[in-house]
Amino acid sequence: MEKQEDKLAELLVQNGLKRTLPRLKVLDILSKRDSATSQPFLEKVMGSDADRVTLYRILQTFEEKGIIHKVLDGQGTANYALCTTGCSQHEHHDEHLHFNCRNCQRVYCLDAVRIPRIKTPPGFSVENISLTAVGLCSYCSDNKSE
Amino acid sequence: MEKQEDKLAELLVQNGLKRTLPRLKVLDILSKRDSATSQPFLEKVMGSDADRVTLYRILQTFEEKGIIHKVLDGQGTANYALCTTGCSQHEHHDEHLHFNCRNCQRVYCLDAVRIPRIKTPPGFSVENISLTAVGLCSYCSDNKSE
DNA sequence: TTAAGTGCAAAATCTTTGCAAATGT
DNA sequence: ACATTTGCAAAGATTTTGCACTTAA
């Protein structure tokens, strides 16, 4: 059976990207999280494994290639998550509910909740749509008494 | 019949805010637009009628009082729109589709399109939800040939 | 070997903070 | 007169750009 690590490296090769340490580490971090990860958090976890500027560039490249996608949380901070299969450089499929916890700031991709089809007024052509909820996630509602 | 101008000034008084020139101008600008207005745009239009810092503070105060609400566009830039009646310091009602034109960057509040009720997975309690579409608005699709 | 990728320094933005002067009531 | 609000200066934070050095293929 193929190792997870190899799958991630393969993602790079498939997209014509070199297999570098900073890139592999970003993929490793993202693959182990159950929610989208913010730029600041990534920066912290990367530590000295990548310069801040390098991280910006990696995230940008990955997004362009369709390896990750960006979700903005309630404060407008960028959060990143690995794309599911079906995303490519030209087409992102990310049409599910994003849940942003106001306590821990995590952004969950709730694939189970699809965005309902909506009818836009004439003249407005929708190319992309996102549904984002803000509230308390399970962990935070359990561990908080307000 | 009461003048529009007075209505705006009244908004300030009702919220215990002083009727200052910069504040009136912000209200005036917002009241004349059919879409939410970005911070950068406001800054430009205000010109020398308010310092950049003053604008930040006005927008923050207005948002806290429930006079305006903030909508983030696809890039995470803050856009502001006057609240409809029914918003207060403690409760914002803004649950309609926001349409962000990728060409002119305008953010339209499409009150006609309400956010469908959705069922969140157990453990996630939703306090606020937003639906944002990105695409081309009527003006831009008419005036562009791509 | 050599194109792609990284790290560092520095610029450009964007946002916040502190405080004295100005303003509305 | 007095609490609010503003403007300016300066600090912080975030993001971008340029370029020489390093590294994967």
Side-chain angles (χ1 to χ4, degrees):
Chain A
M1 165 182 157
E2 196 179 28
K3 285 196 209 139
Q4 170 67 3
E5 197 179 296
D6 292 334
K7 278 193 200 154
L8 298 176
E10 210 177 307
L11 262 181
L12 295 178
V13 181
Q14 283 169 0
N15 286 282
L17 300 174
K18 285 189 181 172
R19 179 190 155 131
T20 68
L21 227 46
R23 282 174 177 169
L24 286 170
K25 176 132 192 202
V26 168
L27 290 179
D28 181 59
I29 295 170
L30 292 182
S31 70
K32 285 177 176 155
R33 308 224 339 139
D34 61 347
S35 55
T37 307
S38 72
Q39 206 279 336
F41 181 90
L42 271 170
E43 202 174 307
K44 200 174 61 188
V45 178
M46 292 295 290
S48 59
D49 290 338
D51 186 76
R52 177 201 285 258
V53 176
T54 300
L55 181 54
Y56 276 111
R57 288 193 273 226
I58 288 175
L59 293 173
Q60 186 184 304
T61 304
F62 282 6
E63 201 194 352
E64 284 167 6
K65 295 293 186 178
I67 298 175
I68 61 179
H69 46 234
K70 190 198 308 202
V71 192
L72 299 175
D73 67 17
Q75 278 77 237
T77 302
N79 287 62
Y80 298 90
L82 285 181
C83 286
T84 54
T85 55
C87 290
S88 72
Q89 183 154 1
H90 305 297
E91 204 171 347
H92 274 277
H93 299 284
D94 192 28
E95 310 217 329
H96 51 255
L97 176 64
H98 288 124
F99 187 94
N100 180 205
C101 179
R102 70 162 155 78
N103 185 234
C104 66
Q105 292 304 322
R106 252 195 263 262
V107 176
Y108 297 85
C109 291
L110 301 182
D111 296 88
V113 186
R114 314 298 305 176
I115 299 183
R117 189 132 312 286
I118 53 148
K119 58 284 158 262
T120 27
F124 293 89
S125 60
V126 174
E127 292 163 2
N128 200 295
I129 189 153
S130 72
L131 181 64
T132 305
V134 176
L136 275 184
C137 73
S138 6
Y139 297 114
C140 291
S141 37
D142 288 348
N143 306 325
K144 277 197 87 174
S145 40
E146 314 179 276
Chain B
M1 168 183 158
E2 194 180 27
K3 287 195 207 135
Q4 170 68 2
E5 199 179 293
D6 292 333
K7 278 194 199 151
L8 296 177
E10 210 178 308
L11 262 180
L12 295 177
V13 181
Q14 283 169 0
N15 286 281
L17 300 173
K18 285 190 181 168
R19 180 190 152 129
T20 68
L21 226 48
R23 281 173 179 168
L24 285 170
K25 176 132 191 199
V26 169
L27 289 179
D28 182 59
I29 295 170
L30 292 182
S31 71
K32 286 179 176 151
R33 307 219 346 134
D34 62 346
S35 55
T37 307
S38 71
Q39 207 279 335
F41 181 90
L42 272 169
E43 202 174 306
K44 200 174 60 187
V45 178
M46 291 295 289
S48 59
D49 290 338
D51 185 78
R52 176 201 286 257
V53 175
T54 300
L55 181 56
Y56 276 112
R57 289 194 274 227
I58 289 176
L59 294 172
Q60 186 183 304
T61 304
F62 283 4
E63 200 193 354
E64 284 167 7
K65 297 291 186 179
I67 298 174
I68 61 177
H69 45 234
K70 190 199 307 201
V71 193
L72 299 175
D73 68 16
Q75 278 79 235
T77 302
N79 286 62
Y80 298 90
L82 284 181
C83 287
T84 54
T85 55
C87 288
S88 72
Q89 182 156 5
H90 305 297
E91 204 171 347
H92 273 279
H93 299 285
D94 191 27
E95 312 218 326
H96 50 256
L97 175 64
H98 288 124
F99 186 95
N100 180 204
C101 178
R102 70 161 155 78
N103 184 234
C104 66
Q105 292 304 322
R106 253 196 262 263
V107 176
Y108 297 84
C109 292
L110 300 181
D111 296 87
V113 186
R114 314 299 304 176
I115 298 183
R117 189 134 310 286
I118 53 148
K119 59 283 158 261
T120 27
F124 293 88
S125 61
V126 174
E127 293 163 3
N128 198 296
I129 190 154
S130 72
L131 181 64
T132 305
V134 176
L136 275 186
C137 74
S138 7
Y139 298 113
C140 291
S141 38
D142 287 349
N143 307 325
K144 277 195 86 172
S145 41
E146 317 178 274

